[in-house]
Each structure stands twice: as C-alpha cells, then as structure tokens.
Amino acid sequence: NAGVTQTPKFRILKIGQSMTLQCTQDMNHNYMYWYRQDPGMGLKLIYYSVGAGITDKGEVPNGYNVSRSTTEDFPLRLELAAPSQTSVYFCASSSGRQNTEAFFGQGTRLTVV
Amino acid sequence: GEDVEQSLFLSVREGDSSVINCTYTDSSSTYLYWYKQEPGAGLQLLTYIFSNMDMKQDQRLTVLLNKKDKHLSLRIADTQTGDSAIYFCAESDRDSGKTPLVFGKGTRLSVIA
C-alpha cells in the first residue's frame, strides 16, 4: 500500500543549487500534481499532468520544471534554487474521474539558504 | 480566478461540536472537498459533496452546502483531541476539464481537553 511516495523528506539547498524532488505512485493514476505549501497558506499548484507525456502549468510554475515520461513518476526540478522556494512540497495523484480522491505524499520540506 | 476563503483558527472544548466554514467564488464548482492535515503529514480526504447536494452526513461529519451563497461548512460532532489538525476546503470544476483542486488556506482546529 505505498500510494504516493516522495523523496527526499527533507533537504537544505544553497542558493543557486539544483535538485530534483522525486514523486512516484503505484495506483496507475493518470493525474499527478505538485503543490507547495507555505506557512499559514493553502496549497498552491505548481504543475500538473493528466497523463504520461503531458504536463501543464499551475498557479506558481516559475523556477520549476517537470516531466512525465511514465505514468508512475512525476519529478519536480528546481534549476537555480532561491530562498523564495523554501517551502513544503506535496505531490498528489488521482484517477482523474469525477469525484475521486486526490492522494497526497508525505511532503518534502525544502530550505534554501 | 477561483478563490477559496476560510478562517484560520478555531478552538473548541473536547466533546463540543466544531464548525469550520468556507466560502468560494467559482460558481461552476462541481465538487467541494474537506481535507485534513495532521502535523508533518500530507493531506487526507475527509469527505466531499457534489454541488447538487445541500447536505451530506458521514458518521461524526456533516457537510452543509449553500450554493446560492457559495458557502460550505464542516461540522464535527463530539470533537476529540485526535481531531486537532488543519482542515482545508477545496473545490474543483471537473465538468469543464479543470481538474486541479483549488485550496483554501486551511483552518487550524485546536481541541482543548
């Protein structure tokens, strides 16, 4: 019962460094999402994908890139880390059918110093 | 764009009822959701309601929807200390193909023993 798995759980980056946040799901879901959660704020959508090979920008895509080469994996790439990207990142997936639940990973807490 | 608003904090005594309120702006919202986030964890779906319903009950949870006023509430009966968490209201408009969820900022529920 793995569900949505995110790695790493915690990471500290220096300004200008790059990293990839990994997300994988084993539920054969077509839809996958990346959100960021800042203190006292709701979740803001960064990017989403409705299937392998298809990605689309969300509300706050600047500074991030994604790819979806397989149904299972949806990595999020930060090319030049900035302090404004300090946040908790959540990956989620859903089957995409009406009224179905979105399943969330445990989150990745990223600090950029 | 869509907007979902919630009060940020609610404090109740153990055994009392909790009512968490949410307003939204997108009149085409077809599904409205309540998610629960416990400390250090991802979000977990509690319940959802379809926009042609005005009430849904699930054990201790009651969801009320006033579509005219675009107001959604979650009532938790006999609130327990384990209910302490952040509760997020979210909406989606799957009929138009807009599948990503739009979240409120979350209401932090504190239950006092």
Side-chain angles (χ1 to χ4, degrees):
Chain A
N1 292 340
V4 179
T5 303
Q6 290 183 237
T7 56
K9 288 189 169 53
F10 303 95
R11 183 72 185 268
I12 298 174
L13 277 185
K14 293 185 178 177
I15 294 171
Q17 284 186 318
S18 302
M19 78 162 293
T20 299
L21 282 67
Q22 301 292 344
C23 176
T24 188
Q25 51 92 8
D26 61 0
M27 296 172 282
N28 201 32
H29 283 167
N30 285 324
Y31 291 75
M32 295 187 75
Y33 318 86
W34 274 106
Y35 290 88
R36 59 176 287 172
Q37 182 182 30
D38 299 321
M41 305 292 287
L43 278 72
K44 300 286 188 185
L45 182 67
I46 305 171
Y47 270 95
Y48 68 103
S49 167
V50 300
I54 306 168
T55 63
D56 212 343
K57 294 179 180 178
E59 188 180 352
V60 289
N62 291 344
Y64 306 94
N65 277 301
V66 293
S67 59
R68 184 91 184 274
S69 56
T70 66
T71 300
E72 294 78 21
D73 300 307
F74 191 40
L76 178 72
R77 178 90 179 150
L78 283 72
E79 290 293 349
L80 292 169
S84 61
Q85 293 177 304
T86 294
S87 189
V88 180
Y89 291 83
F90 287 101
C91 178
S93 73
S94 71
S95 69
R97 293 192 301 275
Q98 284 191 345
N99 86 336
T100 55
E101 179 178 355
F103 291 83
F104 282 78
Q106 294 293 298
T108 296
R109 184 175 295 275
L110 175 68
T111 304
V112 182
V113 296
Chain B
E2 304 96 345
D3 199 15
V4 177
E5 297 285 341
Q6 301 176 240
S7 54
L8 294 182
F9 301 98
L10 176 66
S11 182
V12 299
R13 293 199 176 277
E14 191 175 19
D16 288 350
S17 292
S18 308
V19 180
I20 302 171
N21 294 301
C22 169
T23 58
Y24 60 97
T25 59
D26 188 357
S27 58
S28 62
S29 295
T30 51
Y31 289 94
L32 295 130
Y33 305 81
W34 284 104
Y35 278 82
K36 178 183 180 182
Q37 184 183 31
E38 295 183 354
L43 278 70
Q44 192 168 20
L45 180 67
L46 275 181
T47 187
Y48 67 91
I49 189 167
F50 185 48
S51 61
N52 69 353
M53 299 167 66
D54 53 19
M55 188 182 91
K56 182 178 181 181
Q57 188 150 6
D58 184 2
Q59 298 182 334
R60 291 191 298 121
L61 305 178
T62 303
V63 179
L64 295 177
L65 174 61
N66 181 329
K67 195 174 178 184
K68 174 176 166 288
D69 294 338
K70 299 193 187 71
H71 182 266
L72 182 75
S73 68
L74 173 70
R75 179 176 180 270
I76 305 173
D78 186 25
T79 311
Q80 303 297 306
T81 54
D83 295 324
S84 293
I86 302 176
Y87 291 81
F88 289 93
C89 173
E91 61 92 16
S92 75
D93 180 14
R94 292 192 186 277
D95 285 349
S96 76
K98 291 191 292 181
T99 53
L101 295 169
V102 177
F103 287 88
K105 291 181 179 167
T107 300
R108 184 179 295 274
L109 174 64
S110 298
V111 182
I112 305 163

